[in-house]
């Protein structure tokens, strides 16, 4: 699919049709409506079979505005469940699906004649100001953004967040009013494990079996069966499975240095993510907002360096937490780390998810009684270092 126009020279060429570049396209349309933009995606659709969520407090008002066309569902708050505590936390929580991302982004490109959407086209070579496609076509740009997904993340993984999610059509209403972000009352298998439940329509729900594991190995058939058993135990009568999503996200022990020049490696692969939670939406929106507020030719400079350093500073703390979780806590007792975290103040939890922690937040997260399962022997054996 290609939008009107055959221009090969652009201000921005975006490679990869996932969350980061969809948000950037929306931000550019809102803040630089005359900018020329090309988006290249190797698949025939954008977004894939993915679901992204974010807390509204993660984004400033401008970013919330340009992200809103991608949002499919909204709730006021969410729940968590642990053996010693169950809690409801306030604040808006929003959901974006791959289907909506494709629909909204395609519509945006079709209404901007200076834009070009290239689906089913693969980038063969990417440079600071040029992208060569697999058929030999060359696109030139003032800025090239490479955001081709988590599998391209460089750096050592401390562990993995892996999941299988099933969107279920039910034969009766589920009765849920809020997402259940972590139901950690389930059996602890393969590290810290929880069920993640998003109530969509009254008889439609997404249920994910998620694990923070030492290994990227994932038995999808086993997790599907676990999801259906969980749904039955919760009284959810499944009529049919509407779709499935599978993910294995590396949670970094350290992130590679952020770039000071193009091409800009963005999104999860570029280290623009929350290293501990795997949430990429707040950081993708933040980066999109930064890029869209200045002319393409003025992207790199002192302001970008300050912006990058602040992200790197926050990400280093989150990466340290990954090393502590995976290297110093035995897998079957990691649940206690998360249960302790959800006893903290709402504001600390909110800033942690947004990756905007304060020194006091960081002290509250790290200090206090050590969680059960903390093992110096395990940390030494796994070579944990600062």
């Amino acid at each position: 699919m290609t939008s009107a126009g055959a221009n090969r020279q652009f201000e921005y060429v975006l490679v990869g049709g996932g969350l980061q570049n969809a948000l950037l396209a929306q931000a550019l349309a809102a803040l630089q409506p005359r900018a020329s933009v090309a988006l290249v995606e190797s698949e025939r659709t954008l977004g894939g079979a993915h679901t992204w969520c974010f807390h509204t407090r993660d984004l400033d008002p401008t970013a919330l505005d340009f992200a809103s066309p991608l949002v499919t569902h909204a709730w006021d708050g969410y729940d968590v469940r642990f053996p010693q505590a169950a809690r409801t936390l306030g604040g808006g929580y929003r959901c974006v699906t791959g289907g909506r991302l494709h629909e909204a982004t395609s519509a945006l490109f079709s209404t901007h004649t200076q834009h070009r959407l290239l689906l089913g086209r693969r980038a063969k070579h990417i440079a600071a100001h040029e992208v060569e496609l697999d058929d030999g076509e060359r696109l030139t740009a003032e800025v090239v953004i490479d955001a081709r997904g988590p599998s391209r993340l460089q750096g050592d993984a401390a562990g993995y967040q892996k999941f299988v999610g099933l969107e279920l059509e039910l034969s009766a209403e589920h009765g849920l009013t809020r997402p259940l972000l972590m139901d950690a009352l389930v059996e602890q298998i393969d590290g810290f494990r929880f069920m993640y439940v998003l109530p969509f329509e009254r008889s439609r729900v997404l249920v994910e079996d998620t694990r923070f594991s030492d290994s990227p190995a994932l038995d999808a058939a086993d997790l599907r069966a676990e999801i259906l058993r969980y749904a039955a135990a919760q009284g959810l009568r499944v009529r049919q499975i509407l779709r499935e999503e599978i993910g294995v996200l590396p949670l970094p022990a350290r992130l590679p240095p952020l770039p000071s020049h193009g091409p800009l490696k963005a999104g999860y692969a570029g280290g623009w993510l929350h290293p501990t939670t795997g949430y990429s939406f707040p950081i993708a929106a933040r980066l999109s907002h930064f890029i869209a507020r200045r002319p393409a030719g003025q992207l790199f400079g002192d302001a970008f360096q300050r912006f990058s350093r602040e992200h790197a500073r926050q990400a280093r703390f989150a990466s340290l937490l990954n090393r502590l979780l995976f290297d110093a806590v035995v897998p079957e007792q990691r649940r206690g780390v998360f249960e302790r975290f959800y006893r903290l103040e709402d504001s600390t939890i909110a800033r942690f998810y947004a990756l905007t922690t304060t020194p006091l937040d960081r002290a509250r997260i790290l200090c206090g009684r050590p969680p059960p399962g903390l093992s110096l022997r395990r940390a030494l054996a796994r070579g944990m270092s600062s």
Side-chain angles (χ1 to χ4, degrees), residues 357-371:
T357 56
T358 65
L360 183 56
D361 292 331
R362 296 191 282 275
R364 285 170 171 161
I365 290 168
L366 284 176
C367 297
R369 184 177 179 180

Side-chain angles (χ1 to χ4, degrees), residues 251-330:
L251 299 178
R254 295 170 185 81
L255 287 172
L258 295 171
S260 58
H261 54 78
L264 175 57
K265 200 168 186 180
Y268 206 106
W272 299 93
L273 74 150
H274 193 309
T276 306
T277 66
Y279 274 60
S280 51
F281 204 107
I283 294 83
R286 201 169 295 152
L287 178 60
S288 297
H289 193 195
F290 180 90
I291 293 170
R293 280 183 295 168
R294 47 197 37 83
Q298 298 177 22
L299 174 58
F300 297 105
D302 291 344
F304 182 78
Q305 292 305 308
R306 289 192 297 271
F307 179 76
S308 297
R309 282 196 298 269
E310 175 56 23
H311 172 70
R313 185 175 67 84
Q314 292 282 346
R316 277 195 298 273
F317 174 70
S319 297
L320 168 63
L321 296 181
N322 285 348
R323 299 199 298 276
L324 289 170
L325 178 68
F326 289 101
D327 291 346
V329 181
V330 296

Side-chain angles (χ1 to χ4, degrees), residues 8 105 165 167 181 189 244 254 269-270 289 321 344 380 385-386:
R8 297 185 181 189
T105 308
E167 186 173 341
L181 257 64
I189 302 170
E244 174 181 281
R254 295 170 185 81
H289 193 195
L321 296 181
L344 297 174
L380 293 173
S385 61
S386 61

Side-chain angles (χ1 to χ4, degrees), residues 25-323:
Q26 296 289 341
L28 289 169
L31 301 176
Q32 293 190 51
R34 296 184 180 180
S36 56
V37 182
L39 193 159
V40 180
E41 167 55 42
S42 60
E43 301 296 331
R44 294 288 179 180
T45 58
L46 303 166
H50 297 298
T51 302
W52 300 271
C53 289
F54 66 96
H55 305 266
T56 56
R57 288 183 287 189
D58 296 344
L59 277 60
D60 67 24
T62 300
L64 275 174
D65 284 344
F66 69 67
S68 62
L70 306 180
V71 172
T72 56
H73 298 87
W75 305 273
D76 295 325
Y78 63 93
D79 296 330
V80 294
R81 295 176 185 166
F82 288 89
Q84 304 302 317
R87 185 176 181 185
T88 298
L89 291 99
Y93 193 68
R94 304 290 183 262
C95 175
V96 173
T97 64
R100 173 61 68 83
L101 185 146
H102 174 81
E103 176 185 287
T105 308
S106 298
L108 184 152
F109 273 77
S110 69
T111 56
H112 287 69
T113 57
Q114 73 275 30
H115 286 14
R116 189 175 175 199
L117 180 59
L118 299 103
L119 299 180
R121 308 285 293 279
R122 189 176 300 276
K124 178 181 177 182
H125 176 72
I126 299 175
H129 301 290
E130 183 179 86
V131 174
E132 181 183 356
L133 304 182
D134 52 5
D135 61 0
E137 183 178 3
R138 295 176 185 271
L139 309 174
T140 61
E142 293 187 53
V143 174
V144 172
I145 310 290
D146 179 5
R148 287 178 291 173
S151 64
R152 296 176 179 271
L153 177 67
Q154 296 179 350
D156 297 332
Y160 299 87
Q161 181 187 148
K162 56 193 184 185
F163 59 87
V164 169
L166 299 179
E167 186 173 341
L168 307 172
E169 182 182 341
L170 308 176
S171 57
E173 294 185 11
H174 49 64
L176 301 171
T177 59
R178 293 181 299 272
L180 179 53
L181 257 64
M182 287 187 180
D183 185 350
L185 300 181
V186 294
E187 181 183 3
Q188 296 301 288
I189 302 170
D190 195 16
F192 171 50
R193 177 188 178 222
F194 62 92
M195 291 292 184
Y196 176 57
V197 182
L198 293 180
F200 290 159
E201 310 305 330
R202 289 181 295 179
S203 59
R204 192 160 56 89
V205 64
L206 175 69
V207 181
E208 287 186 355
D209 186 324
T210 303
R211 302 170 187 195
F212 280 66
S213 172
D214 294 338
S215 166
L218 186 152
D219 185 340
D222 178 64
L223 269 68
R224 287 185 206 107
E226 290 286 345
I227 290 168
L228 294 176
R229 279 194 287 271
Y230 174 82
Q234 300 300 308
L236 303 176
R237 299 167 56 192
V238 178
R239 175 176 290 167
Q240 64 174 322
I241 297 172
L242 299 175
R243 69 178 180 94
E244 174 181 281
E245 58 182 292
I246 298 176
V248 179
L249 302 177
L251 299 178
R254 295 170 185 81
L255 287 172
L258 295 171
S260 58
H261 54 78
L264 175 57
K265 200 168 186 180
Y268 206 106
W272 299 93
L273 74 150
H274 193 309
T276 306
T277 66
Y279 274 60
S280 51
F281 204 107
I283 294 83
R286 201 169 295 152
L287 178 60
S288 297
H289 193 195
F290 180 90
I291 293 170
R293 280 183 295 168
R294 47 197 37 83
Q298 298 177 22
L299 174 58
F300 297 105
D302 291 344
F304 182 78
Q305 292 305 308
R306 289 192 297 271
F307 179 76
S308 297
R309 282 196 298 269
E310 175 56 23
H311 172 70
R313 185 175 67 84
Q314 292 282 346
R316 277 195 298 273
F317 174 70
S319 297
L320 168 63
L321 296 181
N322 285 348
R323 299 199 298 276

